[in-house]
Amino acid sequence: MGCLLLAAVPVMATVDVLSFGAKGDGKTLCTTAIQAAIDHVGTQGGEVRFPSGTYLTGTLILKDNVTLYLERGAILLGTTRLEDYPPTPSRYVSHINRYTHSSLIYAEGVKNITIAGEGIIDGQGTHTNFKADENDVLKSILRRPYIIRVISCDQVKVSGITLKNSPAWMQHYQNCTNILVDGITVFNHGNYNNDGIDIDNCKNVRIVNSNFDTDDDAICFKTTNATGKCENVVVSNCVIASNCNALKWGTETNGAFLNFTVNNCALWRSEHSTIYDRNERTLGAIALETVDGALVDGIHIDNIVSNGFMTPVFIRLADRGRNYYDGGPSQTAGILRNVSISNMTARMYGLVTSSISGLAGHPVQNVSLNNIHIICEGGGSKEDAHRRNMGDRNKEYPETLIFADAPAYGLFLRNVEGLRMQNIFLESQTKDYRSALYCENVKDMNLHQFTFENPEQEAPLIILNQCVNVQISGNLPVGSNNALLQVEGRNNARITLYNNDLSVYKQPVVFEREARKESVKLLGNF
C-alpha cells in the first residue's frame, strides 16, 4: 500500500531552457523555446531553469505549478519589438483594461506560480526603445507592455530576483490571493508610468525585505473593480526610493482597502532624475487616498524614516467618482477611517505641507498620529499664511500638490473627525509665515505633548477655524512666537487648553474673524 501511495505522487519536473532550444546569447529570440519549456512543466508542475546567459524573449504565459528560476548570471531580456508582445486581454473587468493589453510575463487564473532566483529580468523599457506620444494624456501606455502581470491567481511568489527597466509598470498583481514578494530588487527609471509594484484588489499579500528605486510610484495599492478589495496586506523591512510617491493607496479606488500593516521602512527621494517635464516631481512619502467611492478602514503604519519627499503624509478623501468600466455607474464619496501612523521621522523637500483632508459631510475619521517628527525647510509666504476658503478641490487629481498653497508648514487639517495626536514635533528650519498646524472644520481632536518650532515670531503656532471639541495639552515651547493659538470664526466650541507652558507667548490665545472668547477654556496652564 505504501508503494502504491508513493507511486501516486506526481513527479515535479526540472527542465533547462537550453534543452528546449533557447540560446543564451542575448540576440536570438527565445520566446517559442521558453514557452515550450513552460508548457512541458505545466503538465505536471515543476521548475524551468535559466542557466547563466542572456535570453531574449517576448510574452511568456505561466501555467499552474510552474517556477521560473533564474540562476546567478542569467538575464531574461525583454525584446524591444512591440509585435513580440501580443495582446493578452484579461477576463477580469477593471479600469486597467482601458489602458493595458500586454506584458512580458503573464498569468491569469492559475495557481502556485513562482518567479525566483538570483538573476535579472530586464525589460529594456527606456523611452528610446518604447517611445511615448507626448501629446497623449496617457503617454501611449497602450503600446507599452508591463514586465509582470498576474491576474486572478492563487499562491504567487516572487523572490530574490532583480527587475529592471520596464516600458511601463514593473509588476501588476490583480484579483489574486496569497502573494509573497520577498527579497527582490526593483529599478525602474527611463520611461513614463515606471511604478515598482502595483497590488490591485488582492487578498493576503506580503511585500518584505525588498528594495525599490522608481521614477513613478514605488509601492502602490489600487482597487480598479468596485466588487473587489485589497485586504490583509503587510509591507515590512523595505528600502524605497521614488521620484513620485513611495507608498501610495490610489488613485484608482473603486473597491475597499482593509487591514494594512506597513512597518520598518526607509523612504527617500531617488537620486535618479525623472523623465517627466518638471525638475522636481517627488511628491509623497505616504499618500493614502479614496476618491472613487472606496472604503478605507484599518491602516497601520509604524517605524518609518523619510528624507527628501515634498510631503511626508497625504491623506485624502474626495469624490472624483470615476467608474471602472465604460458605461458603468459612478460611486458616491467613500469612507476613510481608522488610520494610525506612529514613530515616523521625515525631512521635507520644498513647501508642500502634510495634510489630512476630507469633504464637508464626508470627513476623514479616527486618525491617530503618535511620535511624529517632521522637519520642514520653511520659507512660506504671508500670502499663503492668510489664505482661507480654499475650496474642496474635489475633482482635482489627488496628489500632494493640490495643497501647495495651504496655510501651514507642518500639517494642514480640514474636514476631519476624531483625531488623536501625541508626541508631535513640527519644526521649520527657517522663518515661515505659515502656522505649524492649521485646522478647519475639525471635530473631536486631542493634541497632547507637542513641540512646534518656527523662527517667525508673527506666526501663531496653531490655528483653529470652525473647530469643535478640541483639547490641547502638554505644550513644550521652543523659541518665542507671539501666540500659541489663534481661533477664527464664530462656529468654534469646546476648545480647552490645559497643562501647557504659556509663559513664553506674548498673547497665548488670539481671536480673529468674529471668534468668540467663550469658545476657549484655559485650565491648569502655567
Side-chain angles (χ1 to χ4, degrees), residues 109-168:
V110 300
K111 64 181 183 299
N112 192 27
I113 55 175
T114 299
I115 303 172
E118 300 178 76
I120 297 170
I121 300 177
D122 186 343
Q124 299 196 91
T126 62
H127 191 247
T128 301
N129 291 333
F130 293 88
K131 290 190 180 298
D133 180 356
E134 301 297 333
N135 297 316
D136 182 352
V137 174
L138 294 177
K139 299 292 190 290
S140 309
I141 195 171
L142 275 171
R143 295 194 291 108
R144 292 185 280 120
Y146 294 1
I147 295 301
I148 298 173
R149 191 162 186 232
V150 177
I151 304 169
S152 303
C153 295
D154 180 47
Q155 298 292 342
V156 178
K157 182 179 180 181
V158 181
S159 68
I161 61 170
T162 295
L163 299 169
K164 297 172 59 177
N165 305 323
S166 176

Side-chain angles (χ1 to χ4, degrees), residues 1-13 44-45:
M1 180 64 73
C3 293
L4 291 174
L5 289 173
L6 289 172
V9 176
V11 178
M12 304 296 283
Q44 56 188 352

Side-chain angles (χ1 to χ4, degrees), residues 429-466:
Q429 294 188 306
T430 60
K431 287 186 176 182
D432 197 308
Y433 286 97
R434 301 170 298 173
S435 297
L437 176 64
Y438 177 89
C439 308
E440 181 178 321
N441 193 26
V442 174
K443 182 180 179 182
D444 303 336
M445 182 180 89
N446 183 288
L447 174 60
H448 180 57
Q449 293 181 338
F450 64 97
T451 300
F452 297 159
E453 182 177 5
N454 184 2
E456 175 49 58
Q457 292 185 350
E458 295 181 17
L461 293 177
I462 302 170
I463 294 178
L464 300 181
N465 182 357
Q466 320 292 17

Side-chain angles (χ1 to χ4, degrees), residues 229-248:
K229 54 191 173 183
C230 258
E231 64 176 332
N232 307 337
V233 178
V234 173
V235 179
S236 185
N237 300 337
C238 290
V239 179
I240 304 167
S242 172
N243 282 328
C244 195
N245 297 285
L247 293 161
K248 181 179 180 181

